[in-house]
Amino acid sequence: MGTANDSSKDISDRLAEKHPKVVFVLGGPGSGKGTQCEKIVQHFGYTHLSAGDLLRAEKNSGSENGIMIQNMMNEGKIVPSEVTIKLLQKAMLDSGNDKFLIDGFPRNEENRAAFEALTKIEPEFVLYFNCPEKEMERRILNRNQGREDDNIETIRKRFKVFLESSLPVIEYYKGKGKVREIDAAKPVEEVFKEVKDIFNPKVPKVPKDENVEGRCMCCAIL
Ligand code: ADP
Ligand code: C5P
Ligand code: MG
């Protein structure tokens, strides 16, 4: 288990030994990342790590970074990568699993570059939940999870940060052919249908004349 005394190199080395498989789950605030991740966990055996949830737990634990995290979250700003990556790495090591959905991370270029440099982990792909801002706003205002940052003033700041800092990260991965984009404005089950197809790609049928064992009689005679 990871301890507070582990150096970042120790943690990174131990994590690398697991050869973890990582999917980044991105999308604006309220696009449904957490909702879909829960379903992916049930169907595909991943461990779900939400960067926002980890930061909230760290804040509530009374750690030395607690006040800083609270101030950043209330302004919708991105917490320095060093803090978030340490939390993600510890959670990955503690999980015992080797397949992870990393939700809400990387949120900006600094997150992305620091994670890559420190962990050397390249995501398998990036799931991007694309949702209109009006719909995201409606969902967040109805979320009712008692989150301090789910108020209209902070929501607007979070949307701005998403457009300015997070979309460029999605563009970066688009350039690498890694983005799997989903229309997240649909109802939960319809969105999940699309998600399932991405995690469970249909195996293309092998054409009959290439399938030696399954040859039809006329081909076998020829
Ligand atoms: P995120 O993690 O991206 O911020 P959540 O999964 O917490 O988003 O979803 C935000 C709110 O919207 C929650 O109250 C959730 O129940 C609701 N929600 C999620 N997906 C949908 C959807 N496809 N249609 C309608 N409401 C949704
Ligand atoms: O993803 P979620 O909406 O739970 O994130 C809530 C807040 O947590 C963000 O608005 C931001 O302040 C903080 N956060 C962060 N860095 C991340 C993810 C979330 O600073 N990578
Ligand atoms: Mg969430």
Side-chain angles (χ1 to χ4, degrees):
M1 202 194 251
T3 70
N5 295 325
D6 283 332
S7 76
S8 62
K9 186 168 183 316
D10 282 347
I11 295 182
S12 299
D13 287 349
R14 282 192 290 133
L15 196 53
E17 283 166 21
K18 285 170 65 129
H19 299 290
K21 187 170 162 178
V22 163
V23 174
F24 288 144
V25 182
L26 301 178
S31 58
K33 301 182 293 295
T35 304
Q36 294 296 325
C37 282
E38 266 183 42
K39 298 172 91 58
I40 300 166
V41 165
Q42 286 164 13
H43 284 74
F44 299 101
Y46 281 76
T47 292
H48 172 210
L49 300 176
S50 153
D53 286 351
L54 289 169
L55 288 166
R56 274 183 284 278
E58 179 71 359
K59 177 194 83 180
N60 293 334
S61 75
S63 90
E64 55 178 346
N65 286 322
I67 302 284
M68 180 274 289
I69 295 173
Q70 175 154 22
N71 290 338
M72 299 294 274
M73 280 183 147
N74 285 346
E75 286 301 310
K77 291 185 179 161
I78 313 289
V79 172
S81 302
E82 183 198 326
V83 174
T84 316
I85 293 173
K86 220 177 258 173
L87 293 172
L88 284 169
Q89 288 183 307
K90 185 174 180 306
M92 286 166 92
L93 275 175
D94 286 354
S95 76
N97 199 350
D98 60 358
K99 287 164 65 177
F100 302 96
L101 300 169
I102 301 196
D103 156 4
F105 184 98
R107 207 67 155 228
N108 61 9
E109 173 57 20
E110 191 217 359
N111 273 181
R112 187 202 65 72
F115 185 83
E116 193 179 301
L118 211 61
T119 68
K120 313 274 186 285
I121 295 172
E122 178 73 18
E124 303 287 309
F125 58 88
V126 175
L127 204 53
Y128 168 38
F129 291 108
N130 191 356
C131 194
E133 207 169 282
K134 265 282 151 228
E135 172 64 9
M136 295 196 283
E137 184 181 298
R138 191 192 65 78
R139 290 180 189 176
I140 297 176
L141 290 173
N142 287 318
R143 178 151 54 184
N144 262 335
Q145 286 176 359
R147 277 177 55 168
E148 274 181 51
D149 58 347
D150 280 355
N151 62 78
I152 193 66
E153 199 186 326
T154 310
I155 290 169
R156 298 255 154 89
K157 291 180 180 165
R158 288 155 67 197
F159 285 155
K160 190 163 183 284
V161 168
F162 176 71
L163 291 178
E164 288 175 0
S165 305
S166 310
L167 270 183
V169 175
I170 294 166
E171 288 302 322
Y172 169 86
Y173 284 115
K174 268 190 187 160
K176 298 185 103 187
K178 292 223 158 182
V179 173
R180 310 288 179 267
E181 184 167 334
I182 298 216
D183 176 3
K186 296 178 187 166
V188 173
E189 288 308 325
E190 284 184 39
V191 175
F192 190 56
K193 248 188 229 161
E194 279 191 46
V195 169
K196 261 198 300 204
D197 285 346
I198 287 167
F199 282 86
N200 226 351
K202 296 191 174 62
V203 182
K205 280 196 181 137
V206 180
K208 269 195 180 141
D209 56 349
E210 286 175 28
N211 182 1
V212 177
E213 282 177 357
R215 265 186 188 173
C216 63
M217 278 313 286
C218 69
C219 300
I221 291 160
L222 284 173

